[in-house]
Coordinates of all heavy atoms in Angstrom, one line a residue:
M1 N 4.2 -24.0 -14.9 CA 3.5 -24.2 -13.6 C 3.1 -22.8 -13.1 O 3.7 -21.8 -13.4 CB 4.3 -25.0 -12.6 CG 4.6 -26.4 -13.0 SD 5.5 -27.3 -11.8 CE 7.1 -26.6 -11.9
R2 N 2.1 -22.8 -12.2 CA 1.7 -21.5 -11.8 C 1.0 -21.6 -10.4 O 0.6 -22.8 -10.0 CB 0.6 -20.9 -12.8 CG -0.6 -21.7 -12.8 CD -1.4 -21.7 -14.0 NE -2.5 -22.7 -13.9 CZ -3.8 -22.4 -13.6 NH1 -4.2 -21.2 -13.6 NH2 -4.7 -23.4 -13.5
I3 N 0.9 -20.5 -9.8 CA 0.0 -20.4 -8.6 C -1.0 -19.3 -8.9 O -0.7 -18.4 -9.7 CB 0.7 -20.2 -7.3 CG1 1.4 -18.8 -7.2 CG2 1.8 -21.3 -7.0 CD1 1.8 -18.4 -5.8
L4 N -2.1 -19.3 -8.1 CA -3.1 -18.2 -8.3 C -3.1 -17.5 -6.9 O -3.2 -18.1 -5.9 CB -4.4 -18.7 -8.6 CG -4.6 -19.5 -9.9 CD1 -5.9 -20.2 -10.0 CD2 -4.4 -18.5 -11.1
C5 N -2.8 -16.2 -7.0 CA -2.8 -15.4 -5.7 C -3.7 -14.2 -5.7 O -3.6 -13.4 -6.7 CB -1.3 -14.9 -5.5 SG -1.1 -14.1 -3.9
T6 N -4.6 -14.2 -4.8 CA -5.5 -13.1 -4.7 C -5.0 -12.0 -3.7 O -4.5 -12.3 -2.7 CB -6.9 -13.5 -4.1 OG1 -7.4 -14.6 -4.9 CG2 -7.9 -12.5 -4.0
D7 N -5.0 -10.8 -4.3 CA -4.4 -9.7 -3.4 C -5.4 -9.2 -2.5 O -6.6 -9.7 -2.4 CB -3.8 -8.5 -4.4 CG -4.9 -7.8 -5.2 OD1 -6.1 -7.9 -4.8 OD2 -4.5 -7.2 -6.2
T8 N -5.0 -8.1 -1.7 CA -5.9 -7.7 -0.6 C -7.1 -6.9 -1.1 O -8.1 -6.6 -0.4 CB -5.2 -6.9 0.4 OG1 -4.5 -5.8 -0.3 CG2 -4.2 -7.7 1.3
E9 N -7.1 -6.6 -2.4 CA -8.3 -6.0 -3.1 C -9.2 -7.0 -3.7 O -10.2 -6.6 -4.4 CB -7.8 -4.9 -4.0 CG -7.2 -3.7 -3.3 CD -6.5 -2.8 -4.2 OE1 -6.5 -3.0 -5.5 OE2 -6.0 -1.8 -3.7
G10 N -8.9 -8.2 -3.6 CA -9.7 -9.3 -4.1 C -9.4 -9.7 -5.6 O -10.2 -10.4 -6.2
K11 N -8.3 -9.1 -6.1 CA -8.0 -9.4 -7.6 C -7.1 -10.7 -7.6 O -6.1 -10.7 -7.0 CB -7.3 -8.2 -8.1 CG -7.1 -8.3 -9.6 CD -6.5 -7.0 -10.2 CE -6.0 -7.3 -11.6 NZ -5.1 -6.3 -12.0
E12 N -7.5 -11.6 -8.4 CA -6.7 -12.9 -8.5 C -5.7 -12.7 -9.6 O -6.0 -12.2 -10.7 CB -7.6 -14.0 -8.9 CG -6.9 -15.4 -8.8 CD -7.8 -16.6 -8.9 OE1 -8.2 -16.8 -10.1 OE2 -8.1 -17.2 -7.9
R13 N -4.4 -13.1 -9.3 CA -3.3 -13.0 -10.3 C -2.8 -14.4 -10.5 O -2.6 -15.1 -9.5 CB -2.2 -12.1 -9.7 CG -2.8 -10.6 -9.4 CD -2.4 -9.7 -10.6 NE -1.0 -9.6 -10.8 CZ -0.2 -8.8 -10.2 NH1 -0.6 -7.9 -9.4 NH2 1.1 -8.8 -10.5
E14 N -2.4 -14.7 -11.7 CA -1.8 -15.9 -12.1 C -0.3 -15.7 -12.1 O 0.2 -14.8 -12.8 CB -2.3 -16.4 -13.4 CG -1.8 -17.8 -13.7 CD -2.6 -18.3 -15.0 OE1 -3.8 -18.3 -15.0 OE2 -1.8 -18.8 -15.9
L15 N 0.5 -16.4 -11.3 CA 1.9 -16.1 -11.2 C 2.7 -17.4 -11.6 O 2.4 -18.5 -11.3 CB 2.3 -15.8 -9.8 CG 1.5 -14.7 -9.1 CD1 1.9 -14.6 -7.6 CD2 1.7 -13.4 -9.8
L16 N 3.7 -17.2 -12.4 CA 4.6 -18.3 -12.9 C 5.3 -18.9 -11.6 O 5.8 -18.1 -10.8 CB 5.6 -17.8 -13.8 CG 5.1 -17.6 -15.3 CD1 6.3 -17.2 -16.2 CD2 4.4 -18.8 -15.8
A17 N 5.3 -20.1 -11.5 CA 5.9 -20.8 -10.3 C 7.1 -21.7 -10.7 O 7.0 -22.3 -11.8 CB 4.9 -21.7 -9.6
T18 N 8.1 -21.7 -9.9 CA 9.3 -22.4 -10.1 C 9.5 -23.5 -9.1 O 9.3 -23.2 -7.9 CB 10.5 -21.5 -10.1 OG1 10.3 -20.5 -11.1 CG2 11.8 -22.2 -10.5
N19 N 9.9 -24.7 -9.5 CA 10.1 -25.8 -8.5 C 11.1 -25.4 -7.5 O 12.1 -24.7 -7.8 CB 10.7 -27.0 -9.3 CG 9.8 -28.2 -9.2 OD1 9.0 -28.3 -8.3 ND2 10.0 -29.1 -10.1
E20 N 10.9 -25.7 -6.2 CA 11.9 -25.5 -5.1 C 11.9 -24.1 -4.7 O 12.6 -23.8 -3.7 CB 13.3 -26.0 -5.5 CG 13.4 -27.4 -6.0 CD 13.2 -28.4 -4.9 OE1 13.7 -28.1 -3.8 OE2 12.5 -29.4 -5.2
W21 N 11.1 -23.2 -5.3 CA 11.0 -21.8 -4.7 C 10.0 -21.9 -3.6 O 9.1 -22.7 -3.6 CB 10.6 -20.8 -5.8 CG 11.8 -20.4 -6.7 CD1 12.8 -21.1 -7.1 CD2 11.8 -19.2 -7.4 NE1 13.6 -20.4 -8.0 CE2 12.9 -19.2 -8.2 CE3 10.9 -18.0 -7.5 CZ2 13.4 -18.1 -9.0 CZ3 11.3 -17.0 -8.3 CH2 12.5 -17.0 -9.0
T22 N 10.1 -21.0 -2.7 CA 9.0 -20.9 -1.8 C 7.8 -20.1 -2.4 O 8.1 -19.3 -3.4 CB 9.4 -20.1 -0.4 OG1 9.6 -18.8 -0.8 CG2 10.6 -20.8 0.2
V23 N 6.6 -20.3 -1.9 CA 5.5 -19.5 -2.3 C 5.7 -18.0 -2.2 O 5.3 -17.2 -3.0 CB 4.2 -20.1 -1.7 CG1 3.0 -19.2 -2.0 CG2 3.9 -21.5 -2.2
M24 N 6.3 -17.6 -1.1 CA 6.6 -16.2 -0.8 C 7.5 -15.7 -2.0 O 7.2 -14.6 -2.5 CB 7.3 -16.1 0.5 CG 7.7 -14.6 0.8 SD 9.3 -14.1 0.1 CE 10.5 -14.8 1.3
E25 N 8.5 -16.4 -2.4 CA 9.4 -16.0 -3.5 C 8.6 -15.9 -4.8 O 8.9 -14.9 -5.6 CB 10.6 -16.9 -3.6 CG 11.6 -16.9 -2.4 CD 12.6 -18.0 -2.5 OE1 12.2 -19.1 -2.9 OE2 13.7 -17.7 -2.1
I26 N 7.8 -16.8 -5.0 CA 7.0 -16.8 -6.3 C 6.0 -15.6 -6.3 O 5.9 -14.9 -7.3 CB 6.1 -18.1 -6.4 CG1 7.1 -19.3 -6.6 CG2 5.1 -18.0 -7.5 CD1 6.5 -20.6 -6.3
I27 N 5.4 -15.3 -5.1 CA 4.6 -14.1 -5.1 C 5.3 -12.8 -5.3 O 5.0 -11.9 -6.0 CB 3.8 -14.0 -3.7 CG1 2.9 -15.2 -3.5 CG2 3.1 -12.7 -3.5 CD1 2.3 -15.4 -2.1
R28 N 6.5 -12.7 -4.6 CA 7.3 -11.5 -4.7 C 7.9 -11.4 -6.2 O 7.8 -10.3 -6.8 CB 8.5 -11.6 -3.8 CG 9.2 -10.3 -3.6 CD 10.2 -10.4 -2.4 NE 11.1 -11.4 -2.6 CZ 12.0 -11.8 -1.7 NH1 12.0 -11.2 -0.5 NH2 12.8 -12.8 -1.9
E29 N 8.3 -12.4 -6.7 CA 8.8 -12.4 -8.2 C 7.7 -12.1 -9.1 O 7.9 -11.4 -10.1 CB 9.4 -13.8 -8.5 CG 10.1 -13.8 -9.9 CD 11.4 -13.0 -9.9 OE1 12.0 -12.7 -8.9 OE2 11.8 -12.8 -11.1
G30 N 6.5 -12.4 -8.8 CA 5.3 -12.1 -9.6 C 4.9 -10.7 -9.5 O 4.0 -10.3 -10.2
G31 N 5.5 -9.9 -8.6 CA 5.3 -8.5 -8.6 C 4.2 -8.1 -7.5 O 3.9 -6.9 -7.5
L32 N 3.7 -9.0 -6.7 CA 2.8 -8.5 -5.7 C 3.6 -8.0 -4.5 O 4.7 -8.4 -4.2 CB 1.9 -9.7 -5.3 CG 0.6 -9.8 -6.1 CD1 0.9 -10.4 -7.5 CD2 -0.4 -10.7 -5.4
P33 N 2.9 -7.0 -3.8 CA 3.7 -6.3 -2.8 C 3.6 -7.0 -1.5 O 3.2 -6.4 -0.4 CB 2.9 -5.0 -2.7 CG 1.5 -5.3 -3.1 CD 1.6 -6.5 -4.1
I34 N 4.2 -8.2 -1.4 CA 4.2 -9.0 -0.1 C 5.4 -8.4 0.7 O 6.5 -8.2 0.2 CB 4.3 -10.5 -0.4 CG1 4.1 -11.3 0.9 CG2 5.6 -10.9 -1.1 CD1 3.8 -12.7 0.7
L35 N 5.1 -8.2 2.0 CA 6.2 -7.6 2.8 C 7.4 -8.5 3.0 O 8.5 -8.2 2.8 CB 5.6 -7.2 4.2 CG 5.0 -5.8 4.3 CD1 4.4 -5.7 5.7 CD2 6.1 -4.8 4.0
A36 N 7.1 -9.7 3.6 CA 8.1 -10.8 3.8 C 9.4 -10.1 4.4 O 10.5 -10.4 3.9 CB 8.4 -11.5 2.5
Q37 N 9.2 -9.4 5.5 CA 10.3 -8.6 6.0 C 11.6 -9.4 6.4 O 12.7 -8.9 6.3 CB 9.8 -7.8 7.2 CG 9.0 -6.7 6.8 CD 8.3 -5.9 8.0 OE1 7.9 -6.6 8.9 NE2 8.3 -4.6 7.9
C38 N 11.4 -10.6 6.9 CA 12.6 -11.3 7.3 C 13.3 -12.1 6.2 O 14.3 -12.8 6.4 CB 12.3 -12.3 8.5 SG 11.4 -13.8 8.0
G39 N 12.7 -12.0 5.0 CA 13.3 -12.7 3.8 C 13.2 -14.2 3.8 O 13.9 -14.8 3.1
G40 N 12.3 -14.7 4.6 CA 12.0 -16.1 4.5 C 12.6 -16.9 5.7 O 12.7 -18.2 5.6
S41 N 13.0 -16.2 6.7 CA 13.6 -17.0 7.9 C 12.6 -17.4 8.9 O 13.0 -17.8 10.0 CB 14.6 -16.1 8.6 OG 15.5 -15.5 7.6
C42 N 11.3 -17.3 8.7 CA 10.3 -17.7 9.6 C 10.4 -16.9 10.9 O 10.3 -17.4 12.0 CB 10.3 -19.2 9.9 SG 8.8 -19.8 10.6
A43 N 10.6 -15.6 10.7 CA 10.8 -14.7 11.9 C 10.0 -13.5 11.9 O 10.3 -12.6 12.7 CB 12.3 -14.4 11.9
C44 N 9.0 -13.4 11.0 CA 8.2 -12.1 11.0 C 6.7 -12.3 10.7 O 6.0 -11.4 11.2 CB 8.8 -11.2 9.9 SG 8.4 -11.7 8.2
A45 N 6.3 -13.3 10.1 CA 4.9 -13.5 9.8 C 4.3 -12.5 8.8 O 3.1 -12.4 8.6 CB 4.0 -13.6 11.1
T46 N 5.1 -11.7 8.2 CA 4.6 -10.8 7.2 C 4.6 -11.4 5.8 O 4.5 -10.7 4.8 CB 5.4 -9.4 7.2 OG1 6.7 -9.8 6.9 CG2 5.3 -8.7 8.5
C47 N 4.5 -12.7 5.7 CA 4.3 -13.4 4.5 C 3.1 -14.3 4.6 O 2.9 -15.2 3.8 CB 5.5 -14.2 4.1 SG 5.9 -15.5 5.3
H48 N 2.2 -14.0 5.6 CA 1.0 -14.7 5.9 C 0.0 -14.7 4.7 O -0.3 -13.7 4.1 CB 0.4 -14.0 7.1 CG -0.9 -14.6 7.6 ND1 -1.7 -13.9 8.5 CD2 -1.5 -15.7 7.4 CE1 -2.8 -14.6 8.7 NE2 -2.7 -15.7 8.1
V49 N -0.4 -15.9 4.4 CA -1.4 -16.1 3.3 C -2.5 -17.1 3.9 O -2.3 -17.8 4.8 CB -0.8 -16.7 2.0 CG1 0.1 -15.8 1.4 CG2 -0.2 -18.1 2.3
Y50 N -3.6 -17.0 3.2 CA -4.7 -18.0 3.4 C -4.7 -19.0 2.2 O -4.7 -18.5 1.1 CB -6.1 -17.3 3.5 CG -6.2 -16.2 4.6 CD1 -6.5 -14.9 4.2 CD2 -5.9 -16.5 5.9 CE1 -6.7 -13.9 5.2 CE2 -6.0 -15.6 6.9 CZ -6.4 -14.3 6.5 OH -6.5 -13.3 7.5
V51 N -4.6 -20.2 2.6 CA -4.5 -21.3 1.5 C -6.0 -21.7 1.2 O -6.8 -21.9 2.2 CB -3.7 -22.5 2.0 CG1 -3.8 -23.6 1.0 CG2 -2.2 -22.1 2.3
D52 N -6.3 -21.7 0.0 CA -7.6 -22.2 -0.4 C -7.9 -23.5 0.2 O -7.1 -24.5 0.2 CB -7.7 -22.3 -2.0 CG -9.0 -22.6 -2.5 OD1 -9.4 -23.8 -2.4 OD2 -9.7 -21.7 -2.9
P53 N -9.2 -23.7 0.8 CA -9.5 -24.9 1.4 C -9.2 -26.2 0.6 O -8.8 -27.3 1.2 CB -11.0 -24.8 1.8 CG -11.2 -23.3 1.8 CD -10.2 -22.7 0.8
A54 N -9.4 -26.1 -0.7 CA -9.2 -27.3 -1.6 C -7.7 -27.7 -1.6 O -7.4 -28.8 -1.9 CB -9.7 -27.0 -2.9
W55 N -6.9 -26.8 -1.2 CA -5.4 -27.1 -1.3 C -4.8 -27.4 0.1 O -3.7 -27.9 0.2 CB -4.7 -25.9 -1.9 CG -4.9 -25.9 -3.4 CD1 -5.9 -25.2 -4.1 CD2 -4.1 -26.6 -4.4 NE1 -5.8 -25.5 -5.4 CE2 -4.7 -26.3 -5.6 CE3 -3.0 -27.5 -4.3 CZ2 -4.3 -26.8 -6.8 CZ3 -2.5 -27.9 -5.5 CH2 -3.1 -27.7 -6.7
K56 N -5.5 -27.0 1.1 CA -4.9 -27.0 2.5 C -4.3 -28.4 2.8 O -3.2 -28.5 3.3 CB -6.0 -26.7 3.5 CG -5.6 -26.5 4.9 CD -6.6 -26.0 5.8 CE -6.1 -26.0 7.2 NZ -6.6 -27.2 8.0
D57 N -5.0 -29.5 2.6 CA -4.5 -30.8 3.0 C -3.5 -31.3 2.0 O -2.9 -32.4 2.3 CB -5.7 -31.8 3.0 CG -6.7 -31.4 4.1 OD1 -6.2 -30.8 5.1 OD2 -7.9 -31.8 4.1
K58 N -3.2 -30.7 0.9 CA -2.2 -31.1 0.0 C -0.8 -30.5 0.4 O 0.2 -30.9 -0.2 CB -2.5 -30.6 -1.4 CG -3.8 -31.3 -1.9 CD -4.1 -30.8 -3.3 CE -5.4 -31.6 -3.7 NZ -6.1 -30.9 -4.7
L59 N -0.8 -29.7 1.4 CA 0.5 -29.1 1.9 C 1.0 -29.9 3.1 O 0.2 -30.4 3.9 CB 0.3 -27.7 2.3 CG -0.2 -26.7 1.2 CD1 -0.4 -25.3 1.8 CD2 0.7 -26.6 0.0
P60 N 2.3 -30.0 3.2 CA 2.8 -30.6 4.5 C 2.4 -29.7 5.7 O 2.2 -28.5 5.6 CB 4.4 -30.5 4.3 CG 4.6 -30.1 2.8 CD 3.3 -29.5 2.3
E61 N 2.2 -30.4 6.8 CA 1.8 -29.7 8.0 C 2.9 -28.6 8.4 O 4.1 -28.8 8.2 CB 1.8 -30.7 9.2 CG 0.6 -31.6 9.1 CD -0.7 -30.9 9.3 OE1 -0.9 -30.2 10.3 OE2 -1.6 -31.1 8.4
P62 N 2.5 -27.5 9.0 CA 3.5 -26.5 9.4 C 4.3 -27.1 10.6 O 3.8 -27.8 11.4 CB 2.6 -25.3 9.9 CG 1.3 -25.9 10.2 CD 1.2 -27.1 9.2
N63 N 5.6 -26.7 10.6 CA 6.4 -27.1 11.7 C 6.2 -26.2 12.9 O 5.4 -25.2 12.9 CB 7.9 -27.2 11.3 CG 8.4 -25.8 10.9 OD1 7.9 -24.8 11.3 ND2 9.5 -25.8 10.2
E64 N 6.8 -26.5 14.0 CA 6.6 -25.8 15.3 C 7.0 -24.3 15.1 O 6.3 -23.5 15.7 CB 7.5 -26.4 16.4 CG 6.8 -27.5 17.2 CD 7.7 -27.9 18.3 OE1 8.4 -27.2 18.9 OE2 7.7 -29.2 18.4
E65 N 8.0 -24.0 14.4 CA 8.5 -22.6 14.3 C 7.4 -21.8 13.5 O 7.1 -20.7 13.9 CB 9.7 -22.5 13.4 CG 11.0 -22.8 14.1 CD 12.2 -22.5 13.2 OE1 12.1 -22.7 12.0 OE2 13.2 -22.1 13.7
E66 N 6.8 -22.4 12.5 CA 5.8 -21.7 11.7 C 4.5 -21.5 12.6 O 3.9 -20.4 12.6 CB 5.4 -22.5 10.4 CG 4.4 -21.8 9.6 CD 4.1 -22.5 8.3 OE1 4.7 -23.5 8.0 OE2 3.1 -22.1 7.7
V67 N 4.1 -22.5 13.3 CA 3.0 -22.4 14.1 C 3.2 -21.3 15.2 O 2.3 -20.5 15.4 CB 2.6 -23.8 14.8 CG1 1.6 -23.6 15.9 CG2 2.2 -24.8 13.8
G68 N 4.4 -21.3 15.8 CA 4.7 -20.2 16.7 C 4.6 -18.8 16.2 O 4.1 -17.9 16.8
M69 N 5.1 -18.7 15.0 CA 5.1 -17.4 14.3 C 3.6 -16.9 13.9 O 3.2 -15.8 14.1 CB 5.9 -17.4 13.0 CG 7.3 -16.9 13.1 SD 7.4 -15.2 13.7 CE 8.6 -15.3 14.9
L70 N 2.9 -17.9 13.5 CA 1.5 -17.6 13.2 C 0.7 -17.2 14.4 O -0.3 -16.4 14.3 CB 0.8 -18.8 12.5 CG 1.1 -19.0 11.0 CD1 0.6 -20.3 10.5 CD2 0.4 -17.8 10.2
D71 N 1.1 -17.6 15.6 CA 0.4 -17.3 16.8 C 0.4 -15.7 16.9 O -0.5 -15.2 17.5 CB 1.1 -17.9 18.0 CG 0.5 -19.2 18.3 OD1 -0.5 -19.6 17.7 OD2 1.2 -19.9 19.1
G72 N 1.5 -15.1 16.5 CA 1.5 -13.6 16.6 C 1.1 -12.9 15.4 O 1.2 -11.6 15.4
A73 N 0.5 -13.5 14.4 CA 0.1 -12.9 13.2 C -1.4 -12.3 13.3 O -2.1 -12.7 14.2 CB 0.1 -13.8 12.0
F74 N -1.7 -11.4 12.4 CA -3.1 -10.8 12.4 C -4.1 -11.7 11.7 O -3.7 -12.3 10.7 CB -3.1 -9.4 11.7 CG -2.2 -8.4 12.4 CD1 -1.0 -8.0 11.9 CD2 -2.6 -7.8 13.6 CE1 -0.2 -7.0 12.4 CE2 -1.9 -6.8 14.2 CZ -0.7 -6.5 13.6
E75 N -5.3 -11.7 12.3 CA -6.4 -12.4 11.6 C -6.1 -13.8 11.1 O -6.3 -14.1 9.9 CB -6.9 -11.5 10.5 CG -7.4 -10.2 11.0 CD -8.1 -9.3 10.0 OE1 -8.9 -9.8 9.2 OE2 -7.9 -8.0 10.1
V76 N -5.6 -14.6 12.0 CA -5.2 -15.9 11.6 C -6.5 -16.8 11.6 O -7.4 -16.7 12.3 CB -4.3 -16.5 12.7 CG1 -4.0 -18.0 12.5 CG2 -3.0 -15.7 12.8
T77 N -6.5 -17.7 10.5 CA -7.6 -18.6 10.4 C -7.1 -20.0 10.3 O -5.8 -20.2 10.3 CB -8.5 -18.3 9.1 OG1 -7.6 -18.8 8.0 CG2 -8.8 -16.9 9.0
E78 N -7.9 -21.0 10.2 CA -7.4 -22.4 10.1 C -6.7 -22.6 8.8 O -6.0 -23.6 8.6 CB -8.6 -23.4 10.3 CG -9.6 -23.3 9.2 CD -10.8 -24.4 9.5 OE1 -10.8 -24.9 10.6 OE2 -11.5 -24.6 8.6
N79 N -6.9 -21.7 7.8 CA -6.2 -21.9 6.5 C -4.9 -21.0 6.5 O -4.4 -20.8 5.3 CB -7.1 -21.5 5.4 CG -8.3 -22.5 5.3 OD1 -8.1 -23.6 5.7 ND2 -9.4 -22.0 4.8
S80 N -4.5 -20.4 7.6 CA -3.3 -19.5 7.6 C -2.1 -20.3 7.4 O -1.9 -21.4 8.1 CB -3.3 -18.8 8.9 OG -4.3 -17.8 8.9
R81 N -1.1 -19.8 6.6 CA 0.2 -20.4 6.5 C 1.2 -19.2 6.2 O 0.8 -18.2 5.8 CB 0.3 -21.4 5.3 CG -0.5 -22.7 5.5 CD 0.0 -23.5 6.6 NE 1.4 -23.9 6.5 CZ 1.8 -25.0 6.0 NH1 1.0 -25.9 5.6 NH2 3.1 -25.3 6.0
L82 N 2.5 -19.5 6.5 CA 3.5 -18.6 6.1 C 4.0 -19.0 4.8 O 4.5 -20.1 4.6 CB 4.6 -18.5 7.2 CG 4.2 -18.1 8.6 CD1 5.4 -18.1 9.5 CD2 3.6 -16.7 8.5
S83 N 3.9 -18.1 3.8 CA 4.2 -18.6 2.4 C 5.6 -18.8 2.3 O 6.0 -19.5 1.3 CB 3.7 -17.5 1.4 OG 4.3 -16.2 1.7
C84 N 6.5 -18.3 3.1 CA 7.9 -18.6 3.0 C 8.3 -20.0 3.5 O 9.4 -20.5 3.3 CB 8.8 -17.6 3.8 SG 8.8 -17.7 5.6
Q85 N 7.3 -20.7 4.1 CA 7.6 -22.0 4.5 C 6.9 -23.1 3.7 O 7.0 -24.3 4.0 CB 7.1 -22.2 6.0 CG 7.7 -21.2 7.0 CD 9.2 -21.4 7.1 OE1 9.7 -22.5 7.3 NE2 10.0 -20.3 6.7
I86 N 6.4 -22.6 2.6 CA 5.7 -23.6 1.6 C 6.7 -23.7 0.4 O 6.8 -22.7 -0.3 CB 4.3 -23.2 1.2 CG1 3.4 -22.9 2.4 CG2 3.8 -24.2 0.2 CD1 2.1 -22.2 2.0
I87 N 7.3 -24.8 0.2 CA 8.1 -25.0 -0.9 C 7.3 -25.6 -2.1 O 6.7 -26.6 -2.0 CB 9.3 -26.1 -0.6 CG1 9.9 -25.8 0.8 CG2 10.3 -26.2 -1.7 CD1 11.1 -25.0 0.8
F88 N 7.4 -24.8 -3.2 CA 6.6 -25.2 -4.4 C 7.2 -26.5 -5.0 O 8.4 -26.6 -5.1 CB 6.5 -24.1 -5.4 CG 5.6 -24.4 -6.5 CD1 4.3 -24.2 -6.4 CD2 6.2 -24.8 -7.7 CE1 3.4 -24.5 -7.5 CE2 5.4 -25.1 -8.8 CZ 4.0 -25.0 -8.7
N89 N 6.3 -27.3 -5.5 CA 6.7 -28.5 -6.3 C 5.6 -28.7 -7.3 O 4.5 -28.1 -7.2 CB 7.1 -29.7 -5.6 CG 5.8 -30.2 -4.8 OD1 4.8 -30.5 -5.4 ND2 6.0 -30.4 -3.5
E90 N 5.8 -29.6 -8.3 CA 4.8 -29.7 -9.4 C 3.5 -30.2 -8.9 O 2.5 -29.9 -9.6 CB 5.4 -30.6 -10.5 CG 5.8 -32.0 -10.1 CD 6.7 -32.7 -11.1 OE1 7.3 -32.0 -11.8 OE2 6.8 -33.9 -11.0
E91 N 3.4 -30.8 -7.7 CA 2.1 -31.3 -7.3 C 1.3 -30.1 -6.8 O 0.1 -30.2 -6.5 CB 2.3 -32.3 -6.1 CG 2.8 -33.6 -6.6 CD 3.1 -34.5 -5.4 OE1 2.7 -34.3 -4.3 OE2 3.7 -35.6 -5.7
L92 N 1.9 -29.0 -6.6 CA 1.2 -27.8 -6.2 C 0.9 -26.8 -7.4 O 0.5 -25.7 -7.1 CB 2.0 -27.0 -5.1 CG 2.4 -27.8 -3.8 CD1 3.2 -26.9 -2.9 CD2 1.1 -28.3 -3.2
D93 N 1.0 -27.3 -8.6 CA 0.6 -26.5 -9.7 C -0.8 -26.2 -9.6 O -1.7 -27.0 -9.5 CB 0.9 -27.4 -11.0 CG 0.7 -26.5 -12.2 OD1 0.7 -25.3 -12.2 OD2 0.6 -27.2 -13.3
G94 N -1.1 -24.9 -9.6 CA -2.5 -24.4 -9.5 C -2.9 -24.0 -8.1 O -4.0 -23.6 -7.9
L95 N -1.9 -24.1 -7.2 CA -2.2 -23.7 -5.8 C -2.8 -22.3 -5.7 O -2.4 -21.3 -6.4 CB -0.9 -23.7 -5.0 CG -0.9 -23.2 -3.6 CD1 -1.6 -24.2 -2.7 CD2 0.5 -22.9 -3.1
K96 N -3.8 -22.2 -4.8 CA -4.5 -20.9 -4.7 C -4.3 -20.4 -3.3 O -4.6 -21.1 -2.3 CB -6.0 -21.1 -4.8 CG -6.5 -21.1 -6.3 CD -8.0 -21.3 -6.2 CE -8.6 -20.8 -7.5 NZ -10.1 -20.7 -7.5
V97 N -3.8 -19.1 -3.2 CA -3.6 -18.5 -1.9 C -4.2 -17.1 -2.0 O -4.3 -16.5 -3.1 CB -2.1 -18.5 -1.5 CG1 -1.6 -19.9 -1.3 CG2 -1.3 -17.6 -2.4
T98 N -4.4 -16.5 -0.8 CA -4.8 -15.1 -0.7 C -3.9 -14.3 0.3 O -3.6 -14.9 1.4 CB -6.3 -15.1 -0.2 OG1 -7.1 -15.7 -1.1 CG2 -6.8 -13.6 0.0
L99 N -3.4 -13.2 -0.1 CA -2.6 -12.4 0.9 C -3.4 -12.0 2.0 O -4.5 -11.5 1.9 CB -2.1 -11.2 0.1 CG -1.1 -11.4 -1.0 CD1 -0.7 -10.1 -1.6 CD2 0.2 -12.1 -0.5
A100 N -2.9 -12.2 3.2 CA -3.6 -11.9 4.5 C -3.2 -10.4 4.9 O -2.2 -9.9 4.5 CB -3.1 -12.8 5.6
P101 N -4.1 -9.8 5.7 CA -3.8 -8.5 6.2 C -2.5 -8.5 7.0 O -2.2 -9.5 7.6 CB -4.9 -8.2 7.1 CG -6.1 -9.1 6.7 CD -5.4 -10.3 6.2
G102 N -1.7 -7.5 6.8 CA -0.4 -7.6 7.5 C 0.7 -8.1 6.6 O 1.9 -8.0 7.0
S103 N 0.4 -8.6 5.5 CA 1.5 -9.2 4.6 C 1.8 -8.3 3.5 O 2.6 -8.5 2.7 CB 1.0 -10.6 4.1 OG -0.1 -10.5 3.3
V104 N 1.1 -7.1 3.4 CA 1.3 -6.2 2.3 C 1.5 -4.8 2.9 O 1.1 -4.5 4.1 CB 0.3 -6.1 1.2 CG1 0.2 -7.4 0.5 CG2 -1.1 -5.8 1.9
Ligands
FES201 S1 9.1 -13.9 5.3 FE1 9.2 -13.6 7.5 S2 8.2 -15.3 8.3 FE2 8.0 -15.5 6.1

């Protein structure tokens, strides 16, 4: 399984994905320079990504904590999510995300 992640220079990378890992962990393990300063505790918003519109509705809705954190993130759009709050599963094989400013 895999995800596709576009870096801040616009280069798309294919990353191996593991069930039950967060998308942030998959991006970090794949070697992209994601900050993720709090380590996935939903306390920093430096794992901010933009989810491809085709995938947005396939993800569970963000919880209140995530929404609150995103309020303080840079350049938030309707496709913004915190990648540490998205748990990968096989239904997300091929998920496309883009690193947001402030996450690298
Ligand atoms: S890593 Fe800090 S909020 Fe996701």
Side-chain angles (χ1 to χ4, degrees):
M1 294 182 289
R2 69 207 171 103
I3 68 167
L4 297 168
C5 183
T6 302
D7 65 22
T8 51
E9 290 168 2
K11 187 174 169 198
E12 188 174 78
R13 301 262 301 269
E14 189 172 307
L15 308 175
L16 285 181
T18 304
N19 240 345
E20 305 290 319
W21 283 27
T22 68
V23 170
M24 178 275 277
E25 291 169 324
I26 293 165
I27 293 170
R28 192 169 56 187
E29 185 70 15
L32 269 76
I34 189 163
L35 271 175
Q37 283 173 324
C38 77
S41 310
C42 197
C44 72
T46 58
C47 64
H48 177 194
V49 294
Y50 302 123
V51 175
D52 185 278
W55 285 92
K56 184 170 175 266
D57 293 338
K58 296 179 181 158
L59 300 179
E61 289 292 310
N63 63 21
E64 269 181 42
E65 277 187 330
E66 182 180 351
V67 170
M69 263 303 133
L70 277 169
D71 272 349
F74 295 107
E75 300 187 39
V76 174
T77 74
E78 62 178 17
N79 294 333
S80 289
R81 293 296 302 265
L82 296 181
S83 59
C84 74
Q85 300 301 302
I86 305 170
I87 313 265
F88 185 81
N89 64 53
E90 57 198 20
E91 288 176 12
L92 299 181
D93 187 18
L95 174 70
K96 279 181 157 187
V97 298
T98 298
L99 293 178
S103 64
V104 292

